[in-house]
Amino acid sequence: MGRIAYVNGRFVPQGEAAVHIEDRGYQLADAVYEVWALFDGKLADAEGHFARLERSLAELKIPMPMSRAALTVVLKEAVRRNRVREGLVYLQVGRGVAPRDHAFPIDPVEPSIVVTVKAVDRAAAEARAAKGVGVITTPENRWGRCDIKTVGLLPNALAKQAARERGAVEAWFVDELGFVTEGASSNAWIVDRDGILRTRDTNANILRGVTRLTLLDVIREDGLKVEERPFTPEEAKSAREAFITGAGTLVLPVVSVDGDPVGDGAVGPVASRLRRLYIERARATAI
Ligand code: PLP
């Protein structure tokens, strides 16, 4: 069965779906997006992603295109029409279509909306998590508002490509003080030599990952020690464990940084346990 996309009010076969050539998302990256993991056809961490969507839109002064409730109906209908149970839902909301001009259109335009759904092979994802993945590091070169989840992802795309060319799955950006900010599409974590979980604080120029936030809760409930405090790539290499979080990767163990092993180079017990606990929580609370 072909995939179905939702585009500006209509469900259409994805191969025929199209946007206007003067859509500001297309020309100026004047659009934001969200990605929900789908467990058994339900949206994981739904509330957190809606809250961040509303915040991203507000920061750019783009109105919410419809209420949360209406948007939920659209997302769920997209999921139903695609018959996907385990996967990802992508939502993009842009300022809309207007003759090309950097400044906002003077007369208000309707926001553009696109929704797509894709299936994820959970067994393959579990196999990858059991082996762990490599990351590379790359100098931070993004703009100063990485807290807004915009589609302006060129530095992230280039970093990810560099990772792939070096046999890694993620690139960690490193700021001018030598600290890891986050991954190209994930938040970065370590279990340091003292057994303390560490991830960058959200005063830094990073995306406030929804998975990160839920996992902080899971970690505290589990009684583990956690600090929102920066770490360097060297600290990651000498850490006991490292991992990344995101709607796409969930909690994914990292076993090498720039080709050097993290700890003993094997997937560690903390990351594996947190992956299991996160997935249990996300499945149980999905809507
Ligand atoms: N950081 C960046 C740059 C991302 O693109 C993403 C997800 O796409 C994340 C972090 C993780 O965010 P979340 O857990 O909300 O998916």
Side-chain angles (χ1 to χ4, degrees):
M1 192 196 76
R3 292 168 69 191
I4 306 288
Y6 174 88
V7 184
N8 297 325
R10 292 196 311 140
F11 286 98
V12 287
Q14 193 151 316
E16 293 163 28
V19 294
H20 195 285
I21 59 167
E22 286 195 312
D23 187 290
R24 290 176 59 92
Y26 171 65
Q27 291 192 320
L28 302 161
D30 190 2
V32 305
Y33 73 106
E34 274 302 328
V35 179
W36 286 259
L38 272 179
F39 290 106
D40 201 20
K42 294 182 185 159
L43 303 166
D45 280 332
E47 165 77 23
H49 288 284
F50 279 119
R52 188 174 60 192
L53 171 70
E54 288 172 357
R55 180 179 179 279
S56 294
L57 289 171
E59 291 294 320
L60 300 185
K61 300 189 170 66
I62 298 174
M64 260 293 262
M66 57 181 89
S67 68
R68 253 193 218 203
L71 210 42
T72 306
V73 170
V74 169
L75 298 179
K76 285 183 158 290
E77 181 60 12
V79 171
R80 193 188 68 77
R81 288 187 188 227
N82 283 280
R83 299 190 194 164
V84 169
R85 307 301 293 172
E86 301 292 317
L88 292 167
V89 182
Y90 175 86
L91 164 70
Q92 180 169 326
V93 180
R95 193 175 312 278
V97 174
R100 188 174 183 281
D101 183 9
H102 289 58
F104 299 172
I106 290 166
D107 297 324
V109 292
E110 288 286 307
S112 309
I113 314 181
V114 168
V115 178
T116 57
V117 182
K118 78 173 180 191
V120 166
D121 180 344
R122 291 270 179 239
E126 284 313 312
R128 182 166 84 153
K131 271 180 62 189
V133 299
V135 304
I136 63 159
T137 60
T138 189
E140 179 65 84
N141 62 353
R142 299 173 301 162
W143 76 324
R145 292 304 308 272
C146 294
D147 59 306
I148 308 174
K149 197 167 169 67
T150 80
V151 301
L153 290 172
L154 188 54
N156 309 57
L158 295 177
K160 202 71 138 186
Q161 178 60 21
R164 180 180 292 174
E165 287 170 9
R166 289 166 57 187
V169 311
E170 181 59 301
W172 280 355
F173 290 109
V174 178
D175 68 17
E176 54 199 7
L177 296 175
F179 293 109
V180 173
T181 50
E182 63 180 330
S185 64
S186 60
N187 290 108
W189 301 68
I190 59 170
V191 183
D192 75 12
R193 284 196 210 193
D194 302 321
I196 297 170
L197 281 146
R198 277 160 65 183
T199 192
R200 195 77 195 245
D201 65 279
T202 51
N203 293 321
N205 184 33
I206 64 167
L207 186 73
R208 297 166 187 190
V210 173
T211 316
R212 174 190 178 283
L213 201 59
T214 299
L215 193 67
L216 280 171
D217 221 39
V218 168
I219 287 167
R220 287 179 182 128
E221 240 171 54
D222 205 41
L224 297 169
K225 271 200 205 149
V226 60
E227 290 178 6
E228 296 178 61
R229 184 156 70 83
F231 57 85
T232 64
E234 287 311 314
E235 282 180 291
K237 291 174 193 174
S238 63
R240 291 186 190 171
E241 298 182 37
F243 58 92
I244 54 176
T245 56
T249 46
L250 308 175
V251 177
L252 184 59
V254 169
V255 292
S256 72
V257 175
D258 289 330
D260 293 329
V262 172
D264 62 5
V267 169
V270 177
S272 307
R273 175 177 170 77
L274 290 178
R275 178 176 176 87
R276 184 171 57 75
L277 291 179
Y278 172 77
I279 292 174
E280 277 172 17
R281 161 89 70 109
R283 273 194 191 281
T285 57
I287 60 159

